[in-house]
């Protein structure tokens, strides 16, 4: 079902078009992800697993996990959570590995894909709050930027965040995430920044510092003088029996589906994880008229901000701490979840099981940095659980151990959007300065950013984060 | 780590591992293998793992045939339970010039004489084997059904486990830094984790074999050279054989991924495992010309490894007359994986002073000085 009315969001949709799913005629909006259109039509099973033929749906909804591969117009292995719907598309459940034999061969262009190499001062990879802020401050210093994002619009995760931000005025306190995305996009210097959308950076070639980019199904190349990696993070999964059932989604994925694409994820939801994302998404689900049956949290206390927790509690949602998922059940998609309690040593207690009839379970157990490009580049990495996993070592100016490669935002250690923006500014300033660009205010702006980061990280909730960060710099 | 060993093997690739196993199998109880990184992290873990018997040189045909027979029975021989994914879908060799056709006709003759059932086939016959082949520019093909592909990790692991069971000590993340020679005899191997006294050392260090040779004061005519390769997403079976020509080599693994590679004549000498965007572009162009259906498939990764070339593209197996106890198994020139099972048998026999199952006299290092080069014509 598509959401018709929303207290905050007004969905800009394409025209209504017809498409086909396994031979059946269906309707969707042009330009929305195929997975969203299918979900709105009640289709949750997108493919069958390779060996055991198990039903599979999407999980991350932002192109990270490959859980949603389907056959589209004869081509197998298409990630339908990001592939856009077109009129008359023929979409099919993918059985096993996908069959190429019926796909039409593409003509090879005479240039053989061998396009020239674009040059730029700074390539910023990722147009979330971190990447946008990096581009803005690099522009301010005088550097030219190429900003790349694999999504069809900029804003990163902000474009699904309907809640208002805290913090200082500088980080847009009391403004909703979606609006911050617009504000940042407006601040970009259009003359100085070349924005490439639908452009996925696939590889960093150490040999000559070239970035390989897939842009609208073509392989293109960019050679920047400096690189700022601001690719964000991906949602973690949780291990329990039947965790692959359609209907079990990342919490961010449910948020994406609902707030970005205007599709109702389901009727009854269990939220796993009471960190900020779990709490915020629960609240947003209720805003869209969906019943949140419970929030469970394996730790003995709630991890997110108290404000967010009391908001959902006030609406009558129980939060069970020291509880985890025992198993999920359902024939083709999720029907029931069994949860159970954990003792002080995190061991499950028999006899504490509770069955919950839900058709959606959202997993909000944290994010891990999307750091593939940093590994490719040979940046030194360190495993820091407080920051989400393997995180790059870096200096105060956000430069990694590989000269010329900077990081900002979640990829530099998972925090939140406010710190992502400040880290982005800092990286943009320093990368530009290292190329000799300075509008005269570099020193002052750099100081300012470093102080802001200190302030943002000063609260008691950030203690783990602070400890983690100490290991990086 | 042991303080001494009867035989010390440098290199945990297929050559070193299979020799270690065979030494132990033949009763040598005191074998130490040293690998500077993790096992099979050199060319072995980076290769295409194509397995063929279609060579143009008698010795290579014999080695390859022997190795293939071992692979066909590897699970049993090594008491290994996991699937080594041997797929004998054949090698389909595309011939595009009259000279090539003439040469490969001769090769097929030689192969047939040695009991290898390869044959020269027409383009029409080739299209029956690979319906997706673009026949343009192809004059004829050779085909041998028993050629194919195997999982290099499984095969290497099988050897490593069997060797360990028979008492071989395997030390990973242990780098050989020097070799001590006294009165023309090997006496000691020095590593970053300590010293090992020994009189016998096998240099199976792949691209670093030249460097290891220098440690013992020996100059080896070896040239490491980068080769790049890529893998696609898995799809349902489309391609039976490895399709190979002077332009490229492309196969589909049993799990569905396509693996492809080509040789760049302009690649400079040197150890190098970085990837290039040029390879990605050029590979895509070449494979889409030969197998246009692959224009729809997605690449999931690319990587590189090193070939170790000799002046005649045949391996160096044997010992060095000047330094007693210094043995080599190196310079495989791009086909050392498929020969690996046989390399191990022969080198173990040779090191233990036994007569080798197949004579390796002509593969010794002296051939370059004697001017008796082997010249393998069928290299891709
Ligand atoms: C699904 C999801 C939902 C979230 N919801 C909330 C929330 O409600 N509230 C909250 O406080 N925090 C939320 N977060 C946390 C959020 O990550 C941070 O608040 C903030 O967005 C981090 O900013 P960033 O710029 O580092 O990353 P992101 O905002 O994630 O931006 C990264 C951008 O990089 C692009 N990208 C990634 N890889 C490539 C590539 N190889 N080539 C080109 N482009 C690439 C992505 O498309 C994306 O636009 C959420 C995170 C996720 C993953
Ligand atoms: C892209 C590519 C594709 C290929 N395709 C095929 C194919 O289809 N079929 C085929 O048969 N062959 C193929 N080859 C060739 C094949 O991979 C090699 O010939 C074979 O693996 C050589 O094995 P090896 O054990 O001799 O050397 P390696 O596997 O390179 O092992 C040598 C080992 O020695 C170690 N070492 C080096 N120096 C030291 C030191 N100082 N101390 C300790 N350890 C040291 C290295 O770390 C390494 O692990 C390919 C090669 C490449 C690069
Ligand atoms: S890639 Fe589509 S759901 Fe993750």
């Amino acid at each position: 079902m598509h959401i018709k009315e929303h207290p905050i969001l007004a969905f800009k949709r394409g025209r209504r078009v017809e498409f086909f799913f396994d031979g059946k005629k269906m309707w969707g909006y042009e330009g929305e992800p195929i997975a969203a259109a299918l979900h709105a039509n009640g289709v949750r099973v997108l493919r069958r697993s390779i060996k055991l033929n198990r039903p599979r749906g999407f999980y991350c909804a932002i192109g990270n996990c490959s859980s949603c591969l389907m056959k589209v117009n004869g081509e197998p292995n298409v990630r339908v959570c990001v592939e856009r719907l077109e009129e008359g598309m023929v979409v099919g459940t993918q059985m096993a590995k996908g069959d190429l034999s019926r796909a039409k061969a593409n003509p090879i262009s005479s240039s053989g894909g061998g396009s020239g190499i674009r040059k730029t001062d700074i390539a910023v990879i990722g147009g979330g709050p971190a990447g946008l802020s990096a581009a803005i401050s690099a522009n301010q210093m005088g550097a030219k930027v190429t900003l790349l994002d694999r999504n069809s619009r900029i804003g990163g995760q902000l474009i699904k965040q309907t809640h208002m931000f805290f913090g200082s005025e500088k980080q847009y306190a009391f403004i909703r995430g979606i609006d911050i995305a617009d504000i940042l996009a407006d601040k970009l210097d259009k003359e100085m920044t070349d924005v490439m959308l639908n452009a996925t950076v696939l590889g960093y070639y150490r040999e000559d510092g070239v970035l390989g980019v897939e842009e609208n199904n073509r392989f293109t190349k960019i050679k920047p003088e400096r690189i700022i990696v601001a690719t964000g993070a991906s949602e973690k999964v949780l291990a329990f029996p039947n965790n692959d059932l359609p209907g079990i989604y990342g919490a961010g994925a449910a948020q994406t589906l609902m707030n970005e694409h205007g599709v109702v994820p389901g009727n009854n939801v269990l939220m796993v994880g009471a960190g900020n994302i779990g709490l915020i998404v629960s609240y947003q689900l209720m805003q869209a008229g969906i019943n949140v049956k419970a929030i469970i949290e394996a730790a003995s206390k709630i991890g997110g901000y108290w404000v967010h927790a009391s908001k959902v509690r006030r609406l009558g949602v129980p939060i069970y701490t020291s509880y985890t998922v025992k198993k999920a059940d359902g024939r083709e998609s999720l029907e029931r979840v069994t949860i159970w309690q954990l003792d002080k040593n995190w061991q499950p207690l028999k006899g504490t099981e509770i069955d919950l009839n839900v058709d959606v379970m959202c997993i909000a157990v944290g994010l891990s940095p999307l750091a593939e490009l940093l590994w490719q580049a040979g940046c030194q990495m360190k495993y820091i659980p407080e920051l989400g996993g393997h995180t790059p070592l870096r200096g105060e100016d956000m430069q990694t151990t590989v000269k010329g490669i900077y990081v900002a935002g979640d990829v530099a250690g998972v925090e939140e959007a406010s710190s992502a923006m400040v880290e982005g500014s800092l990286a943009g300033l320093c990368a530009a300065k290292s190329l000799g660009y300075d509008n005269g205010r570099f020193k002052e702006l750099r100081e300012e950013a470093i102080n802001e980061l200190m302030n943002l990280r000063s609260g008691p909730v950030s203690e783990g984060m602070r400890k983690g960060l100490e290991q990086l710099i | 780590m042991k303080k001494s060993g009867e035989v010390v093997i440098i290199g945990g690739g297929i050559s070193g591992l299979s020799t270690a196993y065979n030494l132990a199998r033949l009763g040598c109880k005191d074998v130490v293998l040293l690998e500077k990184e993790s096992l099979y992290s050199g060319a072995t873990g980076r290769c295409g793992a194509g397995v063929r018997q279609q060579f143009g040189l008698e010795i290579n045909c014999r080695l390859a045939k022997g190795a293939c027979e071992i692979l066909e029975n590897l699970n049993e021989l090594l008491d290994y339970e996991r699937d080594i994914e041997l797929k004998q879908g054949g090698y389909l060799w595309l011939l595009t010039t009259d000279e090539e056709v003439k040469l490969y006709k001769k090769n097929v003759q030689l192969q047939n004489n040695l009991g290898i059932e390869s044959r020269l086939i027409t383009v029409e016959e080739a299209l029956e084997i690979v319906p997706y082949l673009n026949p343009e520019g192809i004059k004829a093909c050779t085909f041998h059904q028993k050629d194919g592909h195997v999982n290099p990790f499984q095969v290497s692991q099988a050897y490593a486990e069997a060797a360990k069971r028979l008492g071989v000590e395997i030390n990973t993340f242990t780098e050989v830094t020097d070799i001590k020679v006294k009165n023309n005899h090997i006496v000691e191997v020095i590593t970053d984790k300590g010293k090992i006294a020994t009189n016998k050392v096998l240099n199976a260090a792949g691209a670093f074999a030249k460097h290891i040779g220098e440690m013992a004061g020996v100059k080896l005519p070896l040239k490491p050279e980068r080769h790049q390769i890529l893998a696609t997403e898995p799809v349902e079976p489309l391609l039976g054989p490895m399709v190979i020509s002077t332009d490229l080599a492309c196969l589909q693994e049993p799990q569905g991924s396509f693996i492809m590679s080509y040789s760049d004549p302009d690649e400079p000498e040197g150890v190098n495992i970085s990837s290039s965007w040029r390879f990605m572009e050029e590979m895509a162009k070449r494979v889409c010309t030969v197998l246009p259906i692959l224009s729809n498939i997605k690449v999931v990764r690319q990587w590189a490894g090193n070939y170790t070339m000799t002046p005649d593209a045949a391996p160096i197996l044997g010992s060095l007359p000047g330094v007693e106890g210094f043995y080599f198994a190196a310079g495989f020139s791009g086909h050392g994986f498929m020969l690996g099972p046989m390399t191990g048998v022969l080198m173990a026999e040779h090191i233990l002073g036994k007569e080798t199952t197949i004579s390796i006299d002509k593969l010794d290092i002296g051939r370059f000085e004697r001017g008796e080069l082997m010249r393998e014509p069928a290299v891709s």
Side-chain angles (χ1 to χ4, degrees):
Chain A
M1 208 173 49
H2 282 101
I3 297 171
K4 296 214 176 61
E5 266 178 70
H6 193 280
I8 296 161
L9 297 163
F11 298 103
K12 280 178 249 150
R13 292 182 169 122
R15 66 191 173 104
R16 255 165 75 83
V17 293
E18 200 179 82
F19 70 101
F20 300 90
F21 166 70
D22 283 350
K24 277 192 295 281
K25 197 188 276 183
M26 290 183 174
W27 291 91
Y29 293 105
E30 190 174 50
E32 69 179 337
I34 297 170
L38 287 171
H39 209 281
N41 280 281
V43 178
R44 299 219 218 173
V45 181
L46 307 179
R47 68 169 176 129
R48 297 269 157 192
S49 72
I50 291 175
K51 288 201 176 131
L52 300 176
N53 209 32
R54 291 166 69 87
R56 291 276 164 81
F58 65 82
Y59 183 77
C60 74
I62 49 172
N64 285 337
C65 75
S66 295
S67 176
C68 62
L69 304 180
M70 293 184 87
K71 202 152 95 175
V72 178
N73 292 341
E75 191 185 330
N77 294 342
V78 176
R79 288 170 308 169
V80 293
C81 71
V82 286
E83 189 75 19
R84 309 270 147 183
L85 186 70
E86 289 167 17
E87 182 159 26
M89 252 180 179
V90 180
V91 180
T93 305
Q94 178 160 315
M95 310 305 280
K97 287 168 198 156
D99 179 9
L100 203 62
S101 66
R102 245 156 299 173
K104 261 202 285 239
N106 291 314
I108 312 165
S109 75
S110 54
S111 67
S115 61
I117 302 182
R118 278 201 237 184
K119 298 229 161 110
T120 184
D121 285 339
I122 302 177
V124 176
I125 309 172
L132 281 168
S133 308
I136 294 166
S137 67
N139 284 167
Q140 266 176 4
M141 290 291 110
K144 284 221 163 71
V145 172
T146 302
L147 177 67
L148 301 114
D149 201 296
R150 61 178 178 189
N151 211 348
S152 59
R153 48 195 275 212
I154 44 177
Q157 311 315 324
L158 285 176
I159 52 184
K160 60 200 71 159
Q161 298 178 9
T162 49
H163 57 285
M164 294 191 197
F165 277 53
F166 314 131
S168 73
E169 214 171 307
K170 277 223 180 63
Q171 283 88 55
Y172 311 102
F174 309 111
I175 302 181
R176 299 180 198 283
I178 32 170
D179 300 326
I180 300 175
D182 289 339
I183 296 173
L184 291 176
D186 272 350
K187 277 196 175 177
L188 270 183
D189 186 331
K190 307 290 175 302
E191 305 272 287
M192 302 283 285
T193 293
D194 183 12
V195 178
M196 286 171 70
L197 295 175
N198 301 310
T200 307
V201 179
L202 304 171
Y204 171 76
Y205 293 96
R206 282 192 218 186
E207 215 171 53
D208 47 11
V210 166
L211 292 173
V213 182
E214 188 244 13
E215 188 187 16
N216 298 318
N217 276 326
R218 307 294 308 167
F219 183 73
T220 59
K221 300 174 294 285
I222 297 184
K223 184 166 165 90
E225 297 299 321
R226 298 286 183 270
I227 295 174
I228 300 177
V229 178
T231 46
S234 71
E235 299 195 84
K236 291 181 180 168
V237 293
L238 200 60
F240 52 83
N242 297 328
N243 70 348
D244 59 341
L245 272 175
I248 300 174
Y249 305 139
Q255 189 185 35
T256 305
L257 194 66
M258 172 171 71
N259 292 350
E260 220 182 310
H261 309 309
V263 172
V264 180
N267 300 314
N268 293 294
V269 178
L270 170 67
M271 178 63 64
V272 181
N276 275 333
I277 297 190
L279 296 171
I280 291 170
V281 175
S282 296
Y283 184 73
Q284 293 171 357
L285 282 160
M286 286 183 279
Q287 274 183 326
I290 299 154
N291 180 27
V292 178
K293 279 220 159 161
I295 301 174
I296 64 171
E297 167 61 55
S300 59
K301 57 177 201 279
I302 293 166
Y305 292 138
W306 180 81
V307 198
H308 293 315
S310 50
K311 246 170 47 178
V312 287
R313 274 212 174 112
R314 237 180 287 135
L315 290 170
V317 180
I319 303 180
Y320 297 97
T321 51
S322 299
Y323 263 87
T324 191
V325 180
K326 183 181 184 191
K327 63 178 171 114
D329 288 296
R331 276 173 305 258
E332 286 292 277
S333 64
L334 184 68
E335 292 168 25
R336 195 174 51 255
V337 181
T338 308
I339 59 172
W340 57 356
Q341 205 180 347
L342 296 171
D343 67 16
K344 278 197 199 100
N345 304 315
W346 297 74
Q347 292 307 308
L349 293 163
K350 281 212 179 98
T352 58
E353 287 91 344
I354 303 174
D355 281 345
L356 295 165
N357 292 325
V358 292
D359 56 348
V360 173
M361 169 160 40
C362 289
I363 310 291
V365 294
L367 305 168
S368 48
L370 263 180
E372 287 87 346
L373 291 169
L374 301 174
W375 286 104
Q376 280 183 13
C379 300
Q380 250 183 5
M381 307 290 284
K382 188 162 183 188
Y383 185 75
I384 299 179
E386 292 92 339
L387 297 176
H390 281 96
T391 319
L393 297 185
R394 53 178 161 84
E396 205 176 42
D397 60 353
M398 304 306 294
Q399 189 169 211
T400 63
T401 53
V402 174
K403 201 167 170 278
I405 299 186
Y406 295 72
V407 284
D410 280 354
V411 73
V414 174
E415 290 183 73
E416 52 188 352
S418 314
S419 48
M421 286 185 268
V422 187
E423 280 189 347
S425 304
L426 186 56
L429 289 172
C430 297
K433 175 75 181 174
S434 76
L435 289 170
Y437 294 106
D438 187 345
N439 66 353
R441 293 186 56 207
F442 170 75
K443 254 192 154 159
E444 165 202 343
L445 292 171
R446 179 177 179 275
E447 280 301 87
E448 210 171 278
I450 290 172
N451 287 336
E452 273 170 43
L453 280 174
M454 258 176 2
N455 282 340
L456 284 170
R457 291 167 180 156
S458 61
V461 183
S462 313
E463 196 188 317
M465 216 170 270
R466 283 198 303 273
K467 262 202 227 131
L469 284 163
E470 277 165 19
Q471 301 179 55
L472 285 180
I473 305 177
Chain B
M1 195 169 72
K2 284 188 188 173
K3 295 258 180 302
S4 70
E6 191 179 331
V7 183
V8 172
I9 295 176
I10 306 173
I14 188 67
S15 306
L17 288 168
S18 82
T19 306
Y21 160 76
N22 280 290
L23 280 167
R25 177 182 63 88
L26 292 175
C28 181
K29 289 280 166 264
D30 190 15
V31 180
V32 182
L33 185 144
L34 306 172
E35 165 56 53
K36 70 179 164 105
E37 288 174 42
S38 51
L39 285 183
Y40 40 92
S41 56
T44 300
R46 298 170 175 275
C47 77
V51 177
R52 69 169 149 116
Q53 298 175 39
Q54 296 189 62
F55 281 93
L57 200 61
E58 179 170 341
I59 181 86
N60 275 341
C61 289
R62 285 181 189 279
L63 294 176
K65 186 161 184 281
C68 183
E69 282 159 10
I70 294 174
L71 285 174
E72 285 169 353
N73 299 296
L74 198 76
N75 285 93
E76 213 174 305
L77 290 171
L78 300 185
D79 200 11
Y80 189 67
E81 281 187 354
R82 270 160 279 159
D83 187 2
I84 62 162
E85 295 167 32
L86 176 64
K87 171 182 162 188
Q88 289 176 297
Y91 258 53
L92 182 72
W93 211 296
L94 315 179
L95 309 171
T96 53
T97 64
D98 291 334
E99 293 83 73
E100 262 187 322
V101 177
K102 222 166 96 191
L103 174 67
Y104 279 72
K105 229 186 215 165
K106 238 173 64 196
N107 290 351
V108 165
Q109 195 72 60
L110 168 76
Q111 290 154 14
N112 292 170
N113 287 343
L114 296 168
I116 297 165
E117 294 166 348
S118 56
R119 57 205 163 94
L120 191 74
I121 61 173
T122 62
V123 177
E124 288 69 37
E125 287 172 292
L127 281 167
E128 274 169 34
I129 302 169
V130 181
Y132 299 103
L133 187 68
N134 173 11
E136 224 177 277
I138 303 173
K139 300 226 152 153
C141 299
T142 63
F143 183 71
H144 179 235
Q145 187 70 58
K146 282 199 169 173
D147 293 348
H149 171 263
V150 68
N151 182 322
F153 304 103
Q154 295 290 1
V155 171
S156 307
Q157 188 60 24
Y159 275 110
E161 286 177 18
K164 270 192 216 160
R165 267 201 312 274
L166 295 178
V168 173
E169 183 186 279
I170 295 182
N171 298 293
T172 53
F173 298 99
T174 307
E175 181 171 358
V176 173
T177 53
D178 204 1
I179 297 171
K180 290 275 175 271
V181 182
K182 226 184 220 159
N183 303 328
N184 299 329
H185 281 70
I186 297 276
V187 289
E188 196 175 47
V189 172
I190 319 269
T191 78
D192 57 356
K193 302 257 168 79
K195 301 172 181 175
I196 307 175
T198 186
N199 296 121
K200 290 178 175 175
V201 168
L202 171 66
N203 177 358
F208 299 89
K210 188 174 183 168
H211 180 58
I212 297 288
E214 282 162 7
M215 291 179 187
V218 181
K219 262 212 157 98
L220 294 169
L222 297 175
K223 236 167 59 176
E225 186 184 289
R226 170 175 72 166
H227 272 250
Q228 302 194 61
I229 183 163
L230 63 78
T232 70
E233 62 188 349
V235 290
E236 291 294 315
L238 272 183
L239 182 65
M242 158 95 93
V243 171
I244 184 166
S245 71
T246 45
D247 273 352
L248 59 78
C250 173
L251 62 88
Q252 186 179 21
E253 291 185 318
Q255 55 82 6
S257 290
F258 282 79
I259 306 278
M260 57 191 85
S261 178
Y262 71 86
S263 294
D264 179 358
D266 298 328
E267 186 66 47
E269 177 180 344
V271 175
N272 181 1
I273 52 163
S274 66
S275 299
S276 78
W277 51 265
R278 277 185 197 83
F279 170 76
M280 170 83 94
E281 285 185 349
E282 182 63 23
M283 186 74 246
K285 199 157 73 180
R286 290 185 185 200
V287 82
C288 291
T289 308
V290 178
L291 295 164
I293 186 103
L294 293 187
S295 60
N296 287 298
I297 208 162
K298 296 171 198 84
V299 176
V300 293
R301 59 181 178 277
Q302 68 175 117
W303 69 95
N306 295 289
Y307 275 21
T308 311
M309 302 302 294
T310 59
D312 60 2
I316 303 173
L317 301 182
S319 41
L320 187 79
V323 183
E324 194 68 31
F326 198 29
Y327 302 90
F328 319 108
F332 290 96
S333 307
H335 40 265
F337 180 76
M338 62 180 94
L339 301 183
M342 209 56 210
T343 302
V345 170
L346 301 174
M347 288 313 297
E349 289 168 344
H350 181 68
I351 291 169
L352 297 178
K354 299 183 193 290
E355 194 179 334
T356 54
T357 310
I358 298 171
S359 169
I360 55 169
D361 292 351
K362 288 186 174 165
L363 293 174
D364 73 335
I365 186 166
R367 72 179 188 265
F368 302 107
E369 272 175 22
R370 296 194 303 271
E372 293 169 4
L373 266 56
M374 308 295 292
R375 294 241 158 76
E376 169 55 63
V379 181
S380 180

